């Protein structure tokens, strides 16, 4: 299950096959013999021979090409098994910074270079200023074939990402900040068990938003965090707040056989990311001074680098670093006990203040209200200039329009004409939401946009919500779902194929 073999039609170039591995959480055991647990870290070397006309790349600190198309890789820093990754295909590279290059199929390399030239170094430099040295040498990005089901995988030295990030206008370039932040939180300081995945993701979300604040300002970061909070709300409403997976410390291993427990992949959801982010924000709030908390994060990374740790290690170090807080007993403030954060399911007891984002949310809220009215006030609508809005402000606006949908007759058509920046966008986050609006309003004239988007990529986060929306819609929407799936199934990852089959009530072949 770890090794994904792609046919030519599952690639962007459609000429040659492709192979990649995806180890997180516990799949690398099917690729090579290992202690497949994040609690064990090791260095590795690998010798990979591939056919002529193919290139191999790995998450390694060095690579040497030898005769017979053989590549020798070495990872000189200890890493957990899930971070070992290999890709083989028709892959070329281009430099985009002093320690960064982009890798992609030849047909994508120009777009990748244009999108990321000079961008990565800026993010890395801010990360180093905040969290300490970047220890991995290089930070390269591999743009995967369109069938890659994930947004990104933070394999050290070589992050694997979806080609959906190539929006053509750098409007999704900042998505890479999350993967860069894993260089310190996750890859360098790692959760010792998958039951405490929030140590990887909660700290990474916090680090991502610290870098984003330095680069783009607080208002924009708060708006992005509000989008994350809305996803957490949606997730908890779907599962029920008291679902055991809505704890930060999840029980996975029951007994000493892995097979008696839960597959860590089945526990994957918004909670470790967004509730984890709230907990780290709460720790910062207890400190009360951003620069002091930044200094603590540097000390934390330095203390535990190349180690795998538990939440008890993290929180113990926090109280040791701030003895005055330990003396005050901040770990047992009623309602905010550290134990409650870790072991009680449900909504976070503390939410960071996102009000600086209001200055960007308010105009988006007001504009959505105008578009939802029975008779459109075009004068008021035309007075709002959205040309300078960045991605998350547009995403927030579309989320509000979606919530108010279906809109009165004719409004969506007019909105589509008025904002080609949205209705003709190449940005995947905007395309997803525009497709959802088309389906919620049953706008058959624009169905081709839904079809085109599903033909262009196979990312799980975009594909499944659209199939759910089609299947929950009109007869013609259901027909669109069946027609699109039968045309695109061969280019989808097998897991995504199975999830879509479940939505459409088709038989899943195990």
């Amino acid at each position: 299950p770890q090794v994904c073999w792609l046919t030519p039609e599952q690639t962007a170039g459609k000429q040659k096959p492709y192979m990649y591995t995806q180890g997180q959480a516990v799949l690398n055991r099917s690729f090579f013999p290992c202690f497949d647990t994040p609690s064990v870290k090791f260095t590795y070397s690998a010798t990979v021979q591939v056919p002529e006309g193919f290139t191999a790349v790995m998450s390694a600190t060095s690579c040497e090409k030898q005769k017979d198309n053989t590549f020798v890789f070495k990872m000189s820093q200890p890493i957990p098994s899930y971070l070992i990754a290999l890709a083989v295909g028709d892959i070329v590279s281009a430099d985009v910074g002093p320690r960064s290059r982009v890798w992609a199929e030849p047909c994508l390399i120009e777009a990748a270079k244009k999108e990321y030239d000079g961008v990565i170094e800026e993010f890395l430099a801010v990360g180093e200023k905040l969290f300490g040295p970047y220890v991995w040498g290089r930070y390269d990005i591999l743009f995967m074939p369109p069938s890659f089901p994930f947004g990104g995988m933070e394999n050290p030295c070589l992050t694997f990402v979806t080609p959906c990030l190539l929006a053509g206008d750098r409007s999704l370039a900042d998505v890479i900040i999350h993967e860069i932040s894993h260089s310190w939180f996750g890859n360098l300081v790692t959760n010792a068990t998958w039951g405490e995945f929030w140590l990887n993701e909660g700290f990474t979300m916090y680090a991502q938003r610290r870098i984003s604040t330095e680069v783009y300002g607080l208002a924009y970061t708060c708006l992005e965090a509000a989008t994350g909070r809305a996803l957490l709300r949606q997730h908890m409403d779907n599962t029920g707040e008291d679902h055991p997976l809505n704890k930060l410390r999840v029980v996975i291993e029951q007994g000493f056989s892995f097979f008696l427990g839960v597959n860590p992949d089945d526990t994957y959801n918004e909670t470790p990311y967004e509730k984890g982010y709230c907990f780290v924000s709460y720790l910062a709030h207890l400190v009360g001074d951003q620069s002091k908390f930044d200094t603590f994060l540097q000390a934390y990374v330095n203390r535990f680098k190349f180690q795998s740790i538990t939440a008890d290690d993290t929180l113990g170090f926090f109280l040791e670093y701030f003895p005055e807080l330990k003396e005050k007993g901040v770990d047992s403030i009623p309602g905010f006990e550290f134990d409650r954060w870790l072991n009680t399911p449900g909504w976070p007891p503390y939410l960071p203040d996102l009000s600086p984002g209001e200055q960007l949310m308010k105009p988006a809220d007001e504009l959505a209200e105008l578009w939802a009215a029975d008779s459109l006030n075009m004068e008021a609508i035309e007075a709002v200039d959205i040309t300078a809005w960045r991605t998350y402000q547009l995403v927030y606006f579309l989320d509000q329009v979606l919530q108010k949908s279906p809109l009165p007759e004719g409004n969506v058509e007019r909105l589509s004409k008025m904002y080609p920046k949205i209705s003709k966008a190449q940005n995947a986050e905007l395309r997803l939401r525009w497709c959802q609006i088309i389906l919620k309003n049953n706008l058959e004239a624009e169905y081709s946009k839904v079809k085109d988007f599903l033909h262009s990529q196979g990312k799980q986060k975009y594909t499944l919500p659209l199939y759910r929306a089609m299947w929950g819609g009109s007869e013609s929407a259901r027909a669109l779902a069946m027609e699109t799936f039968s045309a695109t199934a061969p280019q989808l990852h097998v897991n995504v194929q199975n999830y879509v089959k479940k939505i459409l009530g088709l038989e899943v072949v195990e």
Side-chain angles (χ1 to χ4, degrees):
Q2 142 69 345
V3 184
C4 304
W5 302 94
L6 305 185
T7 60
E9 53 268 27
Q10 289 174 300
T11 68
K14 310 232 178 286
Q15 300 298 312
K16 293 181 178 179
Y18 197 103
M19 180 278 247
Y20 70 89
T21 67
Q22 170 61 30
Q24 195 172 13
V26 290
L27 291 179
N28 267 341
R29 58 187 68 186
S30 72
F31 172 38
F32 59 92
C34 59
F35 293 106
D36 200 7
T37 159
S39 64
V40 175
K41 291 189 170 183
F42 48 83
T43 57
Y44 82 86
S45 62
T47 304
V48 185
Q49 188 180 22
V50 299
E52 259 327 299
F54 289 85
T55 298
V57 289
M58 286 192 85
S59 52
T61 40
S62 75
C63 168
E64 187 195 323
K65 188 177 177 186
Q66 298 180 342
K67 59 179 194 308
D68 301 334
N69 228 27
T70 298
F71 296 81
V72 178
F73 299 97
K74 281 195 175 63
M75 169 49 90
S76 54
Q77 316 275 34
I79 58 171
S81 55
Y82 74 90
L83 289 175
I84 292 186
L86 164 70
V88 178
D90 184 7
I91 309 171
V92 292
S93 70
D95 287 335
V96 291
R99 47 185 161 171
S100 304
R101 60 174 73 100
V102 287
W103 294 84
E105 293 179 61
C107 60
L108 293 177
I109 196 70
E110 272 315 304
K113 183 174 166 56
K114 203 170 121 208
E115 202 85 357
Y116 280 90
D117 212 359
V119 172
I120 296 170
E121 188 55 35
E122 181 188 8
F123 298 153
L124 280 176
V126 176
E128 289 193 298
K129 189 182 90 179
L130 290 170
F131 315 120
Y134 177 77
V135 304
W136 306 100
R138 298 199 61 79
Y139 187 90
D140 290 1
I141 302 180
L142 172 63
F143 287 89
M144 303 296 282
S147 59
F148 186 59
F150 311 102
M153 181 60 216
E154 66 275 10
N155 305 310
C157 309
L158 185 69
T159 287
F160 287 14
V161 293
T162 171
C164 294
L165 296 191
L166 302 176
D169 56 4
R170 297 196 165 182
S171 57
L172 286 178
D174 57 347
V175 173
I176 206 70
I177 298 177
H178 181 86
E179 308 307 335
I180 285 174
S181 301
H182 271 305
S183 306
W184 293 273
F185 304 97
N187 295 7
L188 194 52
V189 181
T190 309
N191 47 229
T193 75
W194 292 118
E196 296 194 321
F197 186 44
W198 77 273
L199 286 173
N200 278 14
E201 294 301 346
F203 276 89
T204 295
M205 291 306 293
Y206 187 87
Q208 167 199 321
R209 288 171 181 156
R210 278 297 292 120
I211 294 175
S212 169
T213 300
E214 296 285 310
V215 178
Y216 300 114
L218 187 58
Y220 183 67
T221 302
C222 287
L223 176 62
E224 184 274 323
T227 312
R229 187 179 296 177
L231 287 172
L232 180 66
R233 182 69 272 166
Q234 213 178 334
H235 159 71
M236 290 213 175
D237 289 346
N238 288 343
T239 56
E241 280 199 18
D242 52 2
H243 193 287
L245 291 183
N246 292 331
K247 296 191 288 195
L248 289 180
R249 186 182 271 155
V250 179
V251 179
I252 293 180
E253 280 91 8
Q254 296 157 352
F256 27 77
S257 163
F258 172 72
F259 298 102
L260 296 175
V262 177
N263 182 339
D265 283 342
D266 295 340
T267 69
Y268 176 86
N269 61 55
E270 302 297 335
T271 298
Y273 290 79
E274 294 295 344
K275 188 175 178 177
Y277 164 72
C278 290
F279 190 17
V280 181
S281 302
Y282 175 63
L283 298 177
H285 162 76
L286 289 174
V287 174
D289 175 321
Q290 185 65 62
S291 65
K292 271 190 185 162
F293 192 70
D294 288 347
T295 311
F296 159 74
L297 287 176
Q298 279 207 27
Y300 169 72
V301 169
N302 195 41
R303 167 75 178 76
F304 293 114
K305 63 184 180 212
F306 301 118
Q307 294 178 48
S308 301
I309 63 170
T310 64
D312 295 342
D313 297 322
T314 299
L315 298 170
F317 182 72
F318 175 77
L319 294 171
E320 185 187 308
Y321 191 86
F322 295 109
E324 67 283 11
L325 293 180
K326 186 177 185 171
E327 218 164 289
K328 270 201 216 146
V330 294
D331 55 338
S332 50
I333 297 169
F336 301 94
E337 301 90 343
F338 289 180
D339 184 67
R340 176 190 168 143
W341 273 103
L342 294 175
N343 298 312
T344 307
W347 196 242
Y350 168 87
L351 294 170
D353 172 23
L354 302 181
S355 59
E358 289 293 338
Q359 65 189 75
L360 299 175
M361 286 181 225
K362 200 162 170 263
D365 277 322
E366 288 165 358
L367 186 60
E369 279 295 335
L370 289 170
W371 280 106
D374 284 326
S375 60
L376 293 176
N377 177 349
M378 289 314 290
E379 196 183 342
I381 285 172
E382 282 162 7
V384 184
D385 177 19
I386 69 161
T387 50
W389 288 13
R390 290 181 54 85
T391 300
Y392 280 104
Q393 197 171 6
L394 291 167
V395 161
Y396 182 81
F397 164 64
L398 291 178
D399 280 343
Q400 305 317 302
V401 170
L402 183 61
Q403 274 175 18
K404 297 175 196 316
S405 290
L407 302 186
E409 191 74 29
N411 287 18
V412 180
E413 287 90 333
R414 293 193 70 177
L415 191 150
S416 172
K417 283 199 182 72
M418 176 101 184
Y419 306 131
K421 177 178 179 173
I422 289 172
S423 59
K424 294 193 165 77
Q426 285 309 298
N427 177 314
E429 293 289 329
L430 299 181
R431 286 177 84 179
L432 166 69
R433 286 160 176 87
W434 185 243
C435 289
Q436 288 173 306
I437 288 167
I438 289 169
L439 293 166
K440 191 94 180 267
N441 290 276
N442 202 27
L443 197 63
E444 291 194 29
E446 299 241 334
Y447 272 5
S448 62
K449 295 221 164 107
V450 180
K451 202 159 92 178
D452 290 347
F453 186 45
L454 288 169
H455 273 266
S456 74
Q457 55 75 42
K459 187 179 168 187
Q460 192 169 304
K461 183 184 156 192
Y462 301 147
T463 302
L464 302 187
L466 290 179
Y467 277 103
R468 283 190 201 107
M470 286 187 278
W471 204 244
S474 63
E475 275 307 303
S476 55
R478 286 184 149 210
L480 176 70
M482 284 305 213
E483 178 206 332
T484 308
F485 182 59
S486 66
T488 58
Q491 70 191 40
L492 294 174
H493 186 276
V494 63
N495 290 359
V496 179
Q497 281 182 33
N498 285 336
Y499 288 136
V500 175
K501 283 178 181 171
K502 279 180 188 158
I503 293 167
L504 304 183
L506 302 169
E507 192 146 329
V508 175
V509 182
E510 284 302 335

